[in-house]
């Protein structure tokens, strides 16, 4: 599969897979936490349309990220992914603006928490997080990316088991100003502070 992707999009493959995993985890999180009653009409058709659109947009984002490894480009890459995830939420679910922003923030926090645990596990196993995403001495792309996705999903299912409400992610009674505040703090952490920290981490 990795070789097939590489034959299609070449050097963009690693960042493309990373972007797609981000989007897929967002989808799983929404499916797990949000009530079926909140789904918009033609939900499967919407999923299919979004899948195709997300694939195309992720190719563009990964090309941008691959061709220029600068801090502004890293920030733009994260902003692009965040925009895609937010659009997916609005396109798939009947939620108020407040609830949609809270769902987005929940997805980002959960993904980044588990995404921080994964490098810690790698380092504990003796692998340098700055050099490889593998838990093993050799790097096998599909195996290692599958393990990464599996750990992310395991964490998300654990979160859902602990915190999912019977009616999904609804009726939090948080006013829009509070949701907007949490949303912007989350956006800054994900799209600015995290790329800056990662960019300067080697030094």
């Amino acid at each position: 599969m990795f070789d097939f992707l590489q034959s299609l999009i070449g050097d963009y493959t690693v960042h493309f897979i990373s972007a797609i995993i981000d989007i897929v985890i967002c989808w799983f999180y929404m499916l797990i936490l949000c009530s079926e009653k909140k789904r918009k009409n033609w939900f499967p058709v919407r999923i299919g349309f979004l899948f195709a659109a997300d694939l195309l947009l992720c190719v563009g984002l990964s090309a941008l990220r691959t061709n220029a490894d600068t801090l502004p480009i890293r920030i733009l890459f994260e902003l692009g992914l965040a925009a895609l995830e937010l659009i997916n939420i609005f396109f798939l679910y009947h939620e108020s603006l407040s609830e949609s922003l809270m769902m987005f923030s929940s997805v980002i926090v959960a993904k980044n928490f588990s995404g921080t645990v994964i490098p810690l596990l790698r380092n504990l196993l003796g692998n340098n997080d700055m050099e490889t995403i593998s838990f093993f001495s050799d790097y096998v792309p599909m195996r290692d990316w599958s393990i990464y996705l599996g750990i992310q999903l395991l964490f998300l299912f654990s979160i859902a088991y602990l915190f999912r409400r019977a009616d999904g992610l609804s009726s939090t009674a948080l006013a829009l100003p509070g949701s907007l505040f949490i949303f912007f703090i989350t956006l800054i952490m994900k799209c600015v502070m995290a790329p800056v920290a990662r960019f300067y981490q080697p030094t």
Side-chain angles (χ1 to χ4, degrees):
M1 183 67 174
F2 185 86
D3 292 336
F4 173 71
L5 284 173
Q6 202 157 34
S7 69
L8 286 179
I9 56 179
D11 294 338
Y12 309 154
T13 305
V14 171
H15 293 303
F16 175 76
I17 292 174
S18 173
I20 288 297
I21 284 178
D22 240 37
I23 298 298
V24 166
I25 291 169
C26 177
W27 282 15
F28 269 102
Y29 198 88
M30 289 187 291
L31 289 169
I32 292 166
L33 286 184
C34 199
S35 170
E36 292 183 13
K37 296 176 183 177
K38 296 284 187 175
R39 294 176 184 176
K40 290 188 174 179
N41 294 335
W42 301 94
F43 189 79
V45 175
R46 289 172 179 267
I47 286 282
F49 175 80
L50 277 177
F51 181 73
D54 286 349
L55 282 178
L56 289 174
L57 291 169
C58 283
V59 169
L61 284 172
S62 58
L64 180 71
R65 176 71 176 80
T66 303
N67 290 328
D69 190 19
T70 63
L71 183 56
I73 292 299
R74 290 189 182 197
I75 291 172
L76 190 59
F77 178 76
E78 292 297 335
L79 283 170
L81 286 178
L84 279 180
E85 290 167 356
L86 199 56
I87 289 168
N88 286 347
I89 291 170
F90 285 124
F91 193 71
L92 292 174
Y93 292 95
H94 289 290
E95 291 282 10
S96 66
L97 178 58
S98 174
E99 294 293 348
S100 296
L101 295 178
M102 288 303 297
M103 185 188 295
F104 171 84
S105 299
S106 301
V107 170
I108 299 305
V109 169
K111 282 195 305 183
N112 281 274
F113 184 85
S114 55
T116 304
V117 170
I118 292 169
L120 175 62
L121 292 175
R122 282 195 213 109
N123 287 318
L124 289 173
L125 291 171
N127 296 322
N128 187 342
D129 172 51
M130 298 302 298
E131 296 175 357
T132 180
I133 70 157
S134 180
F135 287 93
F136 307 96
S137 57
D138 60 331
Y139 171 59
V140 179
M142 289 312 296
R143 178 198 66 193
D144 295 324
W145 282 107
S146 297
I147 291 172
Y148 177 84
L149 177 59
I151 293 174
Q152 286 272 12
L153 293 179
L154 179 64
F155 179 80
L156 294 182
F157 277 105
S158 300
I159 290 292
Y161 178 77
L162 293 172
F163 298 110
R164 188 181 190 276
R165 295 166 56 100
D167 58 351
L169 191 65
S170 61
S171 303
T172 57
L174 185 64
L176 183 58
S179 298
L180 284 168
F181 176 75
I182 291 172
F183 167 74
F184 282 116
I185 291 296
T186 305
L187 204 61
I188 290 169
M189 294 290 286
K190 170 185 167 54
C191 299
V192 180
M193 295 185 72
V196 167
R198 190 70 176 174
F199 187 76
Y200 290 108
Q201 188 174 356
T203 60

